[in-house]
Amino acid sequence: MQISITEQAAIAVRESTTDAFIRLRVSANKGGCSGWRWELETESLSSQRETDLIFHSSGIEIIVNKEMLHNVIGETIIEYTSENIVEQGFVFMRSNGQQCGCGESFTPILSSPPP
């Protein structure tokens, strides 16, 4: 299981920061119409924790908590859309699990995810 980012989304991440040495943390919190909401944060290189996994995709280092990846998020591709101002932003495409129609929340991989 892994998380990857498309080139278009990687460009959007690089354009959103002046720091050349960042990592993108992917996580989720309880909330939204489907139970969990996506979260993206940039972090410094020294922010890695023992429970983190690191993936390299389109020139971006992506950090995710191992339990969060396997129990809640699942395999995901991060895309960026700029089709119009209303729907502009990051889009998460999951290989398994359900997602709400707006794409901002989703159901976890396991039926009883960790708190």
Side-chain angles (χ1 to χ4, degrees):
M1 233 183 272
Q2 72 173 13
I3 295 187
S4 60
I5 189 168
T6 65
E7 186 58 38
Q8 185 172 352
I11 290 168
V13 169
R14 285 190 286 272
E15 288 177 350
S16 70
T17 183
T18 57
D19 188 353
F21 302 103
I22 61 157
R23 290 178 170 161
L24 185 65
R25 179 170 293 276
V26 178
S27 62
N29 282 317
K30 289 185 178 183
C33 56
S34 293
W36 289 77
R37 292 186 63 120
W38 293 104
E39 289 204 4
L40 286 179
E41 298 177 282
T42 56
E43 294 188 351
S44 67
L45 293 177
S46 62
S47 64
Q48 183 178 351
R49 299 174 196 124
E50 194 174 298
T51 56
D52 287 338
L53 297 173
I54 297 178
F55 300 100
H56 299 269
S57 180
S58 297
I60 300 287
E61 284 190 3
I62 301 168
I63 298 177
V64 64
N65 175 279
K66 182 191 286 188
E67 285 187 41
M68 179 69 67
L69 176 66
H70 293 290
N71 297 330
V72 178
I73 297 174
E75 190 159 337
T76 302
I77 299 171
I78 304 167
E79 176 63 270
Y80 186 85
T81 181
S82 58
E83 291 181 20
N84 62 57
I85 292 177
V86 174
E87 297 174 354
Q88 182 174 331
F90 292 99
V91 177
F92 301 86
M93 298 175 288
R94 298 173 69 208
S95 61
N96 51 14
Q98 295 179 343
Q99 192 160 300
C100 71
C102 68
E104 291 190 19
S105 68
F106 62 94
T107 57
I109 298 300
L110 297 180
S111 58
S112 298

